[in-house]
Structure formats: structure tokens, C-alpha cells
């Protein structure tokens, strides 16, 4: 009898100790766990969020799922049916897992599984799961200059905004991938380019004739990859003869313009009569006397005398 009382006392003491520490024996409360607290899924593929009930006494516990996006919760499973963003796209699987048929990028959020068991001493438990949906990159936008001159610098650009996580970029020259570090490859050891895999930039410090050809960029992440169409870049030598001929032609034109201007100034091409200059038109005068015909016997004045 004494031993029985001592055993009961020990059980009571253990229970008090567990209660004070927040640990309740599994048979006295609902306990949840999950297979993965951080879950990755590819867009348009199925994914299952696990909410496993390790211990429970209540026969029909209340199960709810909430989606938490930007700190705002919303129901996706409530009153025994799928709701909200997952309606017609998911189902509840025993014991409390939720299966999403085709995930979309908008499903990226935190999901909380809540189980209430009114007949258990610990009548509530919850577990938080983070879901991230990977999105395949779309065709990136590539910018390749059509023509550059030997010895100059230039940059090729590649940009893709849809993929998640953000893609890494690779560049191809004449269908051959360019190594990230040209110094590690004997074929490209004399090249002056550098690749930024995060931003998609391909920079040449000094372009060579060997750099001419077709270029395209590939964007890749864990969900897939995509690349743009090849674009051709031509590389020209410095046209010394062409520059000389252009300079000579410009000199000839300047000389001809100068000679023509000088000629016009010398010959009055630019002379104009002033509007303020009086334009007098004096009649012709003469002091000659007309004596008439010899037969008339008299003379006649053709102009008056002025005294």
C-alpha cells in the first residue's frame, strides 16, 4: 500500500513538473508536426503541405488552414471545405494535409495549419509552413550592338523579369558557351570580356576581330531556362583611308566656299542700294540756242534765260 501511494505521488509530481515546463504528455493534448517547414514547388505542378497529428484524443477536431501573405491572413480551408485562393484547386487529405493541384506564383506565402481538440487537455496546436513557388524564366531581352570597331569597348545586355528565384545568366558566342572567367580557358585567355551572371551584362574592354559573330543569352533558375534569338555583331578595323578621304573632302568644300565668298565680295554680289539713299533723276539741261531755220529770219529760244 505504501509503495502504491509513493508511485502515485511520483506520477503527480511528474505531471506537475511537465505542466510547469509547458510539456504535456502526448496522451493529454493535441500535437502537430510537419515533414517540411520550408517547401519549394515549381509553378503549375502539384505540392502537398503536411500537417501531421501525432497525438489527439478528440474524435472530430476542428481543422483550419490559413494563408498569410504580406502579414494578412485569409482562410484556404474553413468549415470542412477549401476556400479563398485555393478554391477548386486543392483538397484536404488525411489527417490534415492540404494538396494543391497546380501551384501558381501567387501561392507563394506562409500557410498555418490549426487544429482544435476540445476533449484534450491541450486543446489547440498550430504549425507554420513556408511555400515558395519557383517560376521558369521567359525569353530574355537581349541587346547586341550591330557593329563595333577594333580596340573599343562595348557591352551586351540581357534581362529577364519573370523568373523566380532570379535567374543566372550565361552568354554564348557562335553556339559555344563563354566561360565566366576567360583566363581559365586557353581558348579565351586573350579575351578582354567579363560576365556578370547576376545582371546579365557581357562587357568587352577591347574588342578583337575574333569577337565578331553571333551572340545569345540564356537565363536559368531551378525551374527551367530560356534564351533569346542569336544576334550578329560585326567588328571592323579602324578605317584610316576613309577618315583621310573624308577630311580631305571637307577641306575642299571649305576652300571652295571661301573662294566663292571672296569672289562675291570683290564683284559686289552682296551690294545693295540703301533705302535711305535719295534717288534723284535730274532732267538733262543745255544752254544751246536754236536759231531756227535760215528761212524764218528770226531766232527762238529752246530754254529760258535765268538772271
Amino acid at each position: 500500500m505504501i509503495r502504491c501511494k509513493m508511485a502515485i505521488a511520483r506520477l503527480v509530481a511528474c505531471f506537475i513538473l511537465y505542466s510547469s515546463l509547458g510539456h504535456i504528455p502526448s496522451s493529454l493534448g493535441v500535437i502537430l508536426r510537419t515533414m517540411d517547414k520550408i517547401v519549394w514547388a515549381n509553378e503549375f505542378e502539384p505540392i502537398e503541405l503536411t500537417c501531421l497529428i501525432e497525438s489527439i484524443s478528440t474524435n472530430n477536431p476542428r481543422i483550419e488552414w490559413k494563408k498569410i501573405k504580406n502579414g494578412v491572413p485569409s482562410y484556404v480551408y474553413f468549415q470542412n471545405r477549401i476556400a479563398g485562393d485555393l478554391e477548386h484547386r486543392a483538397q484536404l487529405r488525411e489527417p490534415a494535409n492540404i494538396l494543391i493541384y497546380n501551384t501558381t506564383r501567387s501561392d507563394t506565402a506562409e500557410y498555418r495549419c490549426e487544429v482544435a481538440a476540445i476533449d484534450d487537455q491541450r486543446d489547440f496546436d498550430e504549425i507554420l509552413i513556408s511555400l515558395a513557388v519557383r517560376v521558369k524564366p521567359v525569353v530574355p531581352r537581349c541587346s547586341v550592338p550591330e557593329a563595333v570597331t577594333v580596340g573599343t569597348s562595348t557591352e551586351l545586355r540581357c534581362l529577364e523579369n519573370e523568373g523566380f528565384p532570379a535567374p543566372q545568366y550565361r552568354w554564348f558566342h557562335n553556339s559555344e558557351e563563354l566561360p565566366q572567367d576567360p583566363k581559365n580557358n586557353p581558348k579565351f585567355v586573350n579575351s578582354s570580356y567579363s560576365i556578370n551572371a547576376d545582371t546579365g551584362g557581357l562587357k568587352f574592354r577591347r574588342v578583337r576581330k575574333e569577337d565578331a559573330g553571333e551572340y545569345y543569352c540564356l537565363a536559368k533558375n531551378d525551374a527551367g531556362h530560356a534564351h533569346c534569338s542569336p544576334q550578329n555583331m560585326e567588328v571592323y578595323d579602324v578605317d584610316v583611308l576613309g577618315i583621310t578621304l573624308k577630311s580631305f573632302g571637307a577641306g575642299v568644300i571649305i576652300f571652295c566656299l571661301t573662294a566663292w565668298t571672296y569672289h562675291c565680295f570683290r564683284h559686289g554680289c552682296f551690294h545693295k542700294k540703301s533705302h535711305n539713299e535719295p534717288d534723284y533723276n535730274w532732267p538733262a539741261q543745255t544752254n544751246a540756242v536754236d536759231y531756227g531755220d535760215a528761212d524764218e529770219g528770226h531766232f527762238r529760244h529752246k530754254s529760258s534765260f535765268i538772271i
Side-chain angles (χ1 to χ4, degrees), residues 143-177:
S143 175
V144 178
E146 294 182 356
V148 293
T149 306
V150 169
T152 61
S153 62
T154 190
E155 181 177 4
L156 287 66
R157 296 181 176 88
C158 183
L159 182 62
E160 195 281 331
N161 291 324
E162 297 293 326
F164 180 81
Q168 293 287 292
Y169 297 96
R170 302 177 184 177
W171 277 96
F172 291 78
H173 177 223
N174 294 332
S175 300
E176 181 179 2
E177 184 177 356

PDB file of all heavy atoms in Angstrom, residues 143-177:
ATOM      1  N   SER A 143      20.373  42.626 -75.958  1.00  0.00           N
ATOM      2  CA  SER A 143      20.816  43.791 -76.719  1.00  0.00           C
ATOM      3  C   SER A 143      22.259  43.573 -77.141  1.00  0.00           C
ATOM      4  O   SER A 143      23.163  43.535 -76.307  1.00  0.00           O
ATOM      5  CB  SER A 143      20.686  45.060 -75.865  1.00  0.00           C
ATOM      6  OG  SER A 143      21.209  46.176 -76.544  1.00  0.00           O
ATOM      7  N   VAL A 144      22.465  43.430 -78.453  1.00  0.00           N
ATOM      8  CA  VAL A 144      23.795  43.185 -79.021  1.00  0.00           C
ATOM      9  C   VAL A 144      24.068  44.259 -80.067  1.00  0.00           C
ATOM     10  O   VAL A 144      23.259  44.431 -80.982  1.00  0.00           O
ATOM     11  CB  VAL A 144      23.877  41.786 -79.669  1.00  0.00           C
ATOM     12  CG1 VAL A 144      25.247  41.559 -80.291  1.00  0.00           C
ATOM     13  CG2 VAL A 144      23.572  40.697 -78.641  1.00  0.00           C
ATOM     14  N   PRO A 145      25.184  45.013 -79.969  1.00  0.00           N
ATOM     15  CA  PRO A 145      25.476  46.036 -80.980  1.00  0.00           C
ATOM     16  C   PRO A 145      25.723  45.394 -82.339  1.00  0.00           C
ATOM     17  O   PRO A 145      26.334  44.335 -82.435  1.00  0.00           O
ATOM     18  CB  PRO A 145      26.732  46.726 -80.437  1.00  0.00           C
ATOM     19  CG  PRO A 145      27.350  45.721 -79.519  1.00  0.00           C
ATOM     20  CD  PRO A 145      26.224  44.939 -78.928  1.00  0.00           C
ATOM     21  N   GLU A 146      25.243  46.057 -83.395  1.00  0.00           N
ATOM     22  CA  GLU A 146      25.399  45.504 -84.742  1.00  0.00           C
ATOM     23  C   GLU A 146      26.835  45.565 -85.228  1.00  0.00           C
ATOM     24  O   GLU A 146      27.292  44.651 -85.917  1.00  0.00           O
ATOM     25  CB  GLU A 146      24.481  46.247 -85.717  1.00  0.00           C
ATOM     26  CG  GLU A 146      22.993  46.041 -85.442  1.00  0.00           C
ATOM     27  CD  GLU A 146      22.126  46.743 -86.454  1.00  0.00           C
ATOM     28  OE1 GLU A 146      22.698  47.449 -87.330  1.00  0.00           O
ATOM     29  OE2 GLU A 146      20.901  46.607 -86.397  1.00  0.00           O
ATOM     30  N   ALA A 147      27.545  46.633 -84.890  1.00  0.00           N
ATOM     31  CA  ALA A 147      28.918  46.788 -85.369  1.00  0.00           C
ATOM     32  C   ALA A 147      29.732  47.588 -84.357  1.00  0.00           C
ATOM     33  O   ALA A 147      29.235  48.554 -83.779  1.00  0.00           O
ATOM     34  CB  ALA A 147      28.940  47.494 -86.724  1.00  0.00           C
ATOM     35  N   VAL A 148      30.966  47.171 -84.148  1.00  0.00           N
ATOM     36  CA  VAL A 148      31.903  47.878 -83.268  1.00  0.00           C
ATOM     37  C   VAL A 148      33.262  47.924 -83.954  1.00  0.00           C
ATOM     38  O   VAL A 148      33.523  47.183 -84.908  1.00  0.00           O
ATOM     39  CB  VAL A 148      32.022  47.193 -81.885  1.00  0.00           C
ATOM     40  CG1 VAL A 148      30.737  47.296 -81.110  1.00  0.00           C
ATOM     41  CG2 VAL A 148      32.416  45.739 -82.035  1.00  0.00           C
ATOM     42  N   THR A 149      34.131  48.786 -83.452  1.00  0.00           N
ATOM     43  CA  THR A 149      35.460  48.956 -84.024  1.00  0.00           C
ATOM     44  C   THR A 149      36.498  48.264 -83.157  1.00  0.00           C
ATOM     45  O   THR A 149      36.385  48.247 -81.933  1.00  0.00           O
ATOM     46  CB  THR A 149      35.805  50.462 -84.152  1.00  0.00           C
ATOM     47  OG1 THR A 149      34.760  51.112 -84.880  1.00  0.00           O
ATOM     48  CG2 THR A 149      37.121  50.661 -84.875  1.00  0.00           C
ATOM     49  N   VAL A 150      37.475  47.699 -83.789  1.00  0.00           N
ATOM     50  CA  VAL A 150      38.557  47.014 -83.070  1.00  0.00           C
ATOM     51  C   VAL A 150      39.196  47.962 -82.056  1.00  0.00           C
ATOM     52  O   VAL A 150      39.460  49.130 -82.357  1.00  0.00           O
ATOM     53  CB  VAL A 150      39.621  46.493 -84.065  1.00  0.00           C
ATOM     54  CG1 VAL A 150      40.868  46.027 -83.325  1.00  0.00           C
ATOM     55  CG2 VAL A 150      39.059  45.352 -84.890  1.00  0.00           C
ATOM     56  N   GLY A 151      39.420  47.459 -80.851  1.00  0.00           N
ATOM     57  CA  GLY A 151      40.099  48.241 -79.821  1.00  0.00           C
ATOM     58  C   GLY A 151      39.188  49.065 -78.952  1.00  0.00           C
ATOM     59  O   GLY A 151      39.625  49.609 -77.933  1.00  0.00           O
ATOM     60  N   THR A 152      37.909  49.172 -79.315  1.00  0.00           N
ATOM     61  CA  THR A 152      36.975  49.950 -78.499  1.00  0.00           C
ATOM     62  C   THR A 152      36.298  49.049 -77.474  1.00  0.00           C
ATOM     63  O   THR A 152      36.407  47.826 -77.526  1.00  0.00           O
ATOM     64  CB  THR A 152      35.915  50.618 -79.389  1.00  0.00           C
ATOM     65  OG1 THR A 152      35.178  49.600 -80.091  1.00  0.00           O
ATOM     66  CG2 THR A 152      36.564  51.556 -80.395  1.00  0.00           C
ATOM     67  N   SER A 153      35.576  49.656 -76.542  1.00  0.00           N
ATOM     68  CA  SER A 153      34.841  48.901 -75.523  1.00  0.00           C
ATOM     69  C   SER A 153      33.366  48.862 -75.899  1.00  0.00           C
ATOM     70  O   SER A 153      32.851  49.769 -76.554  1.00  0.00           O
ATOM     71  CB  SER A 153      35.010  49.540 -74.146  1.00  0.00           C
ATOM     72  OG  SER A 153      34.477  50.858 -74.149  1.00  0.00           O
ATOM     73  N   THR A 154      32.687  47.812 -75.478  1.00  0.00           N
ATOM     74  CA  THR A 154      31.255  47.691 -75.739  1.00  0.00           C
ATOM     75  C   THR A 154      30.641  46.752 -74.708  1.00  0.00           C
ATOM     76  O   THR A 154      31.358  46.048 -73.990  1.00  0.00           O
ATOM     77  CB  THR A 154      30.990  47.162 -77.166  1.00  0.00           C
ATOM     78  OG1 THR A 154      29.594  47.290 -77.458  1.00  0.00           O
ATOM     79  CG2 THR A 154      31.388  45.696 -77.288  1.00  0.00           C
ATOM     80  N   GLU A 155      29.314  46.766 -74.619  1.00  0.00           N
ATOM     81  CA  GLU A 155      28.605  45.918 -73.653  1.00  0.00           C
ATOM     82  C   GLU A 155      27.381  45.296 -74.303  1.00  0.00           C
ATOM     83  O   GLU A 155      26.618  45.969 -74.995  1.00  0.00           O
ATOM     84  CB  GLU A 155      28.187  46.717 -72.421  1.00  0.00           C
ATOM     85  CG  GLU A 155      27.475  45.877 -71.368  1.00  0.00           C
ATOM     86  CD  GLU A 155      27.132  46.652 -70.105  1.00  0.00           C
ATOM     87  OE1 GLU A 155      27.386  47.865 -70.074  1.00  0.00           O
ATOM     88  OE2 GLU A 155      26.599  46.032 -69.157  1.00  0.00           O
ATOM     89  N   LEU A 156      27.181  44.016 -74.062  1.00  0.00           N
ATOM     90  CA  LEU A 156      25.995  43.286 -74.474  1.00  0.00           C
ATOM     91  C   LEU A 156      25.129  43.081 -73.238  1.00  0.00           C
ATOM     92  O   LEU A 156      25.648  42.756 -72.162  1.00  0.00           O
ATOM     93  CB  LEU A 156      26.352  41.939 -75.100  1.00  0.00           C
ATOM     94  CG  LEU A 156      26.958  41.937 -76.506  1.00  0.00           C
ATOM     95  CD1 LEU A 156      28.333  42.591 -76.543  1.00  0.00           C
ATOM     96  CD2 LEU A 156      27.074  40.507 -77.047  1.00  0.00           C
ATOM     97  N   ARG A 157      23.808  43.261 -73.365  1.00  0.00           N
ATOM     98  CA  ARG A 157      22.930  43.206 -72.199  1.00  0.00           C
ATOM     99  C   ARG A 157      21.877  42.116 -72.356  1.00  0.00           C
ATOM    100  O   ARG A 157      21.445  41.801 -73.466  1.00  0.00           O
ATOM    101  CB  ARG A 157      22.242  44.556 -71.981  1.00  0.00           C
ATOM    102  CG  ARG A 157      23.209  45.686 -71.642  1.00  0.00           C
ATOM    103  CD  ARG A 157      22.461  46.991 -71.413  1.00  0.00           C
ATOM    104  NE  ARG A 157      23.335  48.072 -71.007  1.00  0.00           N
ATOM    105  CZ  ARG A 157      23.966  48.872 -71.846  1.00  0.00           C
ATOM    106  NH1 ARG A 157      23.792  48.700 -73.147  1.00  0.00           N
ATOM    107  NH2 ARG A 157      24.749  49.830 -71.414  1.00  0.00           N
ATOM    108  N   CYS A 158      21.455  41.560 -71.193  1.00  0.00           N
ATOM    109  CA  CYS A 158      20.438  40.513 -71.153  1.00  0.00           C
ATOM    110  C   CYS A 158      19.583  40.740 -69.903  1.00  0.00           C
ATOM    111  O   CYS A 158      20.125  40.956 -68.816  1.00  0.00           O
ATOM    112  CB  CYS A 158      21.107  39.139 -71.120  1.00  0.00           C
ATOM    113  SG  CYS A 158      19.957  37.740 -71.158  1.00  0.00           S
ATOM    114  N   LEU A 159      18.249  40.695 -70.067  1.00  0.00           N
ATOM    115  CA  LEU A 159      17.369  40.974 -68.933  1.00  0.00           C
ATOM    116  C   LEU A 159      16.129  40.090 -69.003  1.00  0.00           C
ATOM    117  O   LEU A 159      15.505  39.940 -70.051  1.00  0.00           O
ATOM    118  CB  LEU A 159      16.948  42.449 -68.942  1.00  0.00           C
ATOM    119  CG  LEU A 159      16.052  42.902 -67.786  1.00  0.00           C
ATOM    120  CD1 LEU A 159      16.765  42.737 -66.455  1.00  0.00           C
ATOM    121  CD2 LEU A 159      15.611  44.341 -67.985  1.00  0.00           C
ATOM    122  N   GLU A 160      15.770  39.502 -67.836  1.00  0.00           N
ATOM    123  CA  GLU A 160      14.578  38.673 -67.697  1.00  0.00           C
ATOM    124  C   GLU A 160      13.945  38.991 -66.348  1.00  0.00           C
ATOM    125  O   GLU A 160      14.615  38.962 -65.323  1.00  0.00           O
ATOM    126  CB  GLU A 160      14.971  37.190 -67.786  1.00  0.00           C
ATOM    127  CG  GLU A 160      13.804  36.238 -68.005  1.00  0.00           C
ATOM    128  CD  GLU A 160      13.027  35.949 -66.734  1.00  0.00           C
ATOM    129  OE1 GLU A 160      13.628  36.002 -65.656  1.00  0.00           O
ATOM    130  OE2 GLU A 160      11.830  35.659 -66.827  1.00  0.00           O
ATOM    131  N   ASN A 161      12.627  39.289 -66.331  1.00  0.00           N
ATOM    132  CA  ASN A 161      11.980  39.776 -65.110  1.00  0.00           C
ATOM    133  C   ASN A 161      10.953  38.832 -64.507  1.00  0.00           C
ATOM    134  O   ASN A 161      10.388  39.129 -63.453  1.00  0.00           O
ATOM    135  CB  ASN A 161      11.287  41.123 -65.392  1.00  0.00           C
ATOM    136  CG  ASN A 161      12.276  42.237 -65.653  1.00  0.00           C
ATOM    137  OD1 ASN A 161      13.339  42.276 -65.046  1.00  0.00           O
ATOM    138  ND2 ASN A 161      11.934  43.135 -66.563  1.00  0.00           N
ATOM    139  N   GLU A 162      10.665  37.697 -65.144  1.00  0.00           N
ATOM    140  CA  GLU A 162       9.585  36.827 -64.682  1.00  0.00           C
ATOM    141  C   GLU A 162      10.059  35.706 -63.760  1.00  0.00           C
ATOM    142  O   GLU A 162       9.324  35.262 -62.880  1.00  0.00           O
ATOM    143  CB  GLU A 162       8.854  36.219 -65.885  1.00  0.00           C
ATOM    144  CG  GLU A 162       8.162  37.244 -66.777  1.00  0.00           C
ATOM    145  CD  GLU A 162       7.010  37.919 -66.087  1.00  0.00           C
ATOM    146  OE1 GLU A 162       6.352  37.254 -65.274  1.00  0.00           O
ATOM    147  OE2 GLU A 162       6.762  39.105 -66.364  1.00  0.00           O
ATOM    148  N   GLY A 163      11.241  35.193 -63.969  1.00  0.00           N
ATOM    149  CA  GLY A 163      11.702  34.017 -63.240  1.00  0.00           C
ATOM    150  C   GLY A 163      11.857  34.245 -61.747  1.00  0.00           C
ATOM    151  O   GLY A 163      12.214  35.337 -61.293  1.00  0.00           O
ATOM    152  N   PHE A 164      11.552  33.178 -60.974  1.00  0.00           N
ATOM    153  CA  PHE A 164      11.764  33.200 -59.526  1.00  0.00           C
ATOM    154  C   PHE A 164      12.236  31.816 -59.087  1.00  0.00           C
ATOM    155  O   PHE A 164      11.611  30.807 -59.436  1.00  0.00           O
ATOM    156  CB  PHE A 164      10.476  33.568 -58.780  1.00  0.00           C
ATOM    157  CG  PHE A 164      10.667  33.607 -57.287  1.00  0.00           C
ATOM    158  CD1 PHE A 164      11.216  34.720 -56.669  1.00  0.00           C
ATOM    159  CD2 PHE A 164      10.319  32.513 -56.487  1.00  0.00           C
ATOM    160  CE1 PHE A 164      11.397  34.742 -55.294  1.00  0.00           C
ATOM    161  CE2 PHE A 164      10.501  32.531 -55.122  1.00  0.00           C
ATOM    162  CZ  PHE A 164      11.050  33.654 -54.521  1.00  0.00           C
ATOM    163  N   PRO A 165      13.346  31.775 -58.342  1.00  0.00           N
ATOM    164  CA  PRO A 165      14.233  32.875 -57.956  1.00  0.00           C
ATOM    165  C   PRO A 165      14.850  33.559 -59.177  1.00  0.00           C
ATOM    166  O   PRO A 165      14.793  33.036 -60.291  1.00  0.00           O
ATOM    167  CB  PRO A 165      15.309  32.180 -57.108  1.00  0.00           C
ATOM    168  CG  PRO A 165      14.750  30.834 -56.763  1.00  0.00           C
ATOM    169  CD  PRO A 165      13.838  30.457 -57.857  1.00  0.00           C
ATOM    170  N   ALA A 166      15.435  34.718 -58.945  1.00  0.00           N
ATOM    171  CA  ALA A 166      16.056  35.465 -60.041  1.00  0.00           C
ATOM    172  C   ALA A 166      17.056  34.579 -60.768  1.00  0.00           C
ATOM    173  O   ALA A 166      17.865  33.902 -60.139  1.00  0.00           O
ATOM    174  CB  ALA A 166      16.742  36.719 -59.500  1.00  0.00           C
ATOM    175  N   PRO A 167      17.007  34.565 -62.100  1.00  0.00           N
ATOM    176  CA  PRO A 167      17.872  33.648 -62.849  1.00  0.00           C
ATOM    177  C   PRO A 167      19.319  34.099 -62.881  1.00  0.00           C
ATOM    178  O   PRO A 167      19.639  35.269 -62.638  1.00  0.00           O
ATOM    179  CB  PRO A 167      17.258  33.676 -64.250  1.00  0.00           C
ATOM    180  CG  PRO A 167      16.650  35.041 -64.355  1.00  0.00           C
ATOM    181  CD  PRO A 167      16.148  35.369 -62.982  1.00  0.00           C
ATOM    182  N   GLN A 168      20.181  33.154 -63.193  1.00  0.00           N
ATOM    183  CA  GLN A 168      21.580  33.424 -63.502  1.00  0.00           C
ATOM    184  C   GLN A 168      21.712  33.444 -65.024  1.00  0.00           C
ATOM    185  O   GLN A 168      20.994  32.750 -65.742  1.00  0.00           O
ATOM    186  CB  GLN A 168      22.487  32.340 -62.911  1.00  0.00           C
ATOM    187  CG  GLN A 168      22.508  32.331 -61.380  1.00  0.00           C
ATOM    188  CD  GLN A 168      23.278  33.498 -60.803  1.00  0.00           C
ATOM    189  OE1 GLN A 168      24.495  33.582 -60.951  1.00  0.00           O
ATOM    190  NE2 GLN A 168      22.571  34.414 -60.158  1.00  0.00           N
ATOM    191  N   TYR A 169      22.656  34.255 -65.515  1.00  0.00           N
ATOM    192  CA  TYR A 169      22.784  34.460 -66.951  1.00  0.00           C
ATOM    193  C   TYR A 169      24.064  33.834 -67.489  1.00  0.00           C
ATOM    194  O   TYR A 169      25.114  33.860 -66.836  1.00  0.00           O
ATOM    195  CB  TYR A 169      22.769  35.957 -67.283  1.00  0.00           C
ATOM    196  CG  TYR A 169      21.470  36.640 -66.917  1.00  0.00           C
ATOM    197  CD1 TYR A 169      21.331  37.323 -65.705  1.00  0.00           C
ATOM    198  CD2 TYR A 169      20.378  36.617 -67.779  1.00  0.00           C
ATOM    199  CE1 TYR A 169      20.144  37.953 -65.369  1.00  0.00           C
ATOM    200  CE2 TYR A 169      19.183  37.247 -67.449  1.00  0.00           C
ATOM    201  CZ  TYR A 169      19.075  37.907 -66.246  1.00  0.00           C
ATOM    202  OH  TYR A 169      17.897  38.532 -65.907  1.00  0.00           O
ATOM    203  N   ARG A 170      23.945  33.297 -68.704  1.00  0.00           N
ATOM    204  CA  ARG A 170      25.092  32.778 -69.434  1.00  0.00           C
ATOM    205  C   ARG A 170      25.069  33.341 -70.840  1.00  0.00           C
ATOM    206  O   ARG A 170      23.998  33.591 -71.409  1.00  0.00           O
ATOM    207  CB  ARG A 170      25.046  31.240 -69.504  1.00  0.00           C
ATOM    208  CG  ARG A 170      25.020  30.547 -68.143  1.00  0.00           C
ATOM    209  CD  ARG A 170      24.910  29.043 -68.323  1.00  0.00           C
ATOM    210  NE  ARG A 170      24.793  28.336 -67.048  1.00  0.00           N
ATOM    211  CZ  ARG A 170      24.628  27.017 -66.943  1.00  0.00           C
ATOM    212  NH1 ARG A 170      24.558  26.277 -68.046  1.00  0.00           N
ATOM    213  NH2 ARG A 170      24.523  26.449 -65.753  1.00  0.00           N
ATOM    214  N   TRP A 171      26.265  33.512 -71.432  1.00  0.00           N
ATOM    215  CA  TRP A 171      26.380  34.032 -72.792  1.00  0.00           C
ATOM    216  C   TRP A 171      27.026  32.986 -73.694  1.00  0.00           C
ATOM    217  O   TRP A 171      27.920  32.249 -73.270  1.00  0.00           O
ATOM    218  CB  TRP A 171      27.197  35.321 -72.817  1.00  0.00           C
ATOM    219  CG  TRP A 171      26.398  36.537 -72.473  1.00  0.00           C
ATOM    220  CD1 TRP A 171      26.297  37.147 -71.260  1.00  0.00           C
ATOM    221  CD2 TRP A 171      25.576  37.288 -73.366  1.00  0.00           C
ATOM    222  NE1 TRP A 171      25.465  38.223 -71.326  1.00  0.00           N
ATOM    223  CE2 TRP A 171      24.995  38.345 -72.612  1.00  0.00           C
ATOM    224  CE3 TRP A 171      25.255  37.186 -74.718  1.00  0.00           C
ATOM    225  CZ2 TRP A 171      24.144  39.285 -73.181  1.00  0.00           C
ATOM    226  CZ3 TRP A 171      24.397  38.111 -75.287  1.00  0.00           C
ATOM    227  CH2 TRP A 171      23.844  39.154 -74.522  1.00  0.00           C
ATOM    228  N   PHE A 172      26.558  32.958 -74.951  1.00  0.00           N
ATOM    229  CA  PHE A 172      27.069  32.024 -75.947  1.00  0.00           C
ATOM    230  C   PHE A 172      27.564  32.806 -77.170  1.00  0.00           C
ATOM    231  O   PHE A 172      26.901  33.765 -77.607  1.00  0.00           O
ATOM    232  CB  PHE A 172      25.992  31.027 -76.370  1.00  0.00           C
ATOM    233  CG  PHE A 172      25.622  30.052 -75.296  1.00  0.00           C
ATOM    234  CD1 PHE A 172      24.791  30.429 -74.246  1.00  0.00           C
ATOM    235  CD2 PHE A 172      26.106  28.750 -75.319  1.00  0.00           C
ATOM    236  CE1 PHE A 172      24.442  29.531 -73.249  1.00  0.00           C
ATOM    237  CE2 PHE A 172      25.764  27.842 -74.323  1.00  0.00           C
ATOM    238  CZ  PHE A 172      24.933  28.239 -73.292  1.00  0.00           C
ATOM    239  N   HIS A 173      28.719  32.399 -77.684  1.00  0.00           N
ATOM    240  CA  HIS A 173      29.310  33.006 -78.879  1.00  0.00           C
ATOM    241  C   HIS A 173      29.449  31.924 -79.946  1.00  0.00           C
ATOM    242  O   HIS A 173      30.153  30.942 -79.737  1.00  0.00           O
ATOM    243  CB  HIS A 173      30.679  33.610 -78.547  1.00  0.00           C
ATOM    244  CG  HIS A 173      31.392  34.182 -79.732  1.00  0.00           C
ATOM    245  ND1 HIS A 173      32.740  33.981 -79.951  1.00  0.00           N
ATOM    246  CD2 HIS A 173      30.952  34.931 -80.768  1.00  0.00           C
ATOM    247  CE1 HIS A 173      33.101  34.586 -81.063  1.00  0.00           C
ATOM    248  NE2 HIS A 173      32.019  35.176 -81.578  1.00  0.00           N
ATOM    249  N   ASN A 174      28.723  32.121 -81.055  1.00  0.00           N
ATOM    250  CA  ASN A 174      28.708  31.112 -82.128  1.00  0.00           C
ATOM    251  C   ASN A 174      28.367  29.729 -81.573  1.00  0.00           C
ATOM    252  O   ASN A 174      29.047  28.730 -81.860  1.00  0.00           O
ATOM    253  CB  ASN A 174      30.045  31.092 -82.868  1.00  0.00           C
ATOM    254  CG  ASN A 174      30.305  32.382 -83.632  1.00  0.00           C
ATOM    255  OD1 ASN A 174      29.366  33.063 -84.046  1.00  0.00           O
ATOM    256  ND2 ASN A 174      31.570  32.725 -83.814  1.00  0.00           N
ATOM    257  N   SER A 175      27.303  29.705 -80.722  1.00  0.00           N
ATOM    258  CA  SER A 175      26.753  28.474 -80.123  1.00  0.00           C
ATOM    259  C   SER A 175      27.676  27.838 -79.086  1.00  0.00           C
ATOM    260  O   SER A 175      27.374  26.744 -78.592  1.00  0.00           O
ATOM    261  CB  SER A 175      26.418  27.437 -81.210  1.00  0.00           C
ATOM    262  OG  SER A 175      25.460  27.964 -82.123  1.00  0.00           O
ATOM    263  N   GLU A 176      28.769  28.481 -78.722  1.00  0.00           N
ATOM    264  CA  GLU A 176      29.674  27.961 -77.699  1.00  0.00           C
ATOM    265  C   GLU A 176      29.584  28.833 -76.450  1.00  0.00           C
ATOM    266  O   GLU A 176      29.684  30.061 -76.539  1.00  0.00           O
ATOM    267  CB  GLU A 176      31.110  27.934 -78.215  1.00  0.00           C
ATOM    268  CG  GLU A 176      32.112  27.372 -77.202  1.00  0.00           C
ATOM    269  CD  GLU A 176      33.535  27.344 -77.747  1.00  0.00           C
ATOM    270  OE1 GLU A 176      33.747  27.793 -78.892  1.00  0.00           O
ATOM    271  OE2 GLU A 176      34.428  26.888 -77.011  1.00  0.00           O
ATOM    272  N   GLU A 177      29.394  28.183 -75.294  1.00  0.00           N
ATOM    273  CA  GLU A 177      29.262  28.960 -74.063  1.00  0.00           C
ATOM    274  C   GLU A 177      30.572  29.634 -73.698  1.00  0.00           C
ATOM    275  O   GLU A 177      31.646  29.026 -73.730  1.00  0.00           O
ATOM    276  CB  GLU A 177      28.802  28.068 -72.914  1.00  0.00           C
ATOM    277  CG  GLU A 177      28.559  28.836 -71.620  1.00  0.00           C
ATOM    278  CD  GLU A 177      28.025  27.973 -70.497  1.00  0.00           C
ATOM    279  OE1 GLU A 177      27.772  26.781 -70.738  1.00  0.00           O
ATOM    280  OE2 GLU A 177      27.858  28.508 -69.379  1.00  0.00           O
TER     281      GLU A 177
END
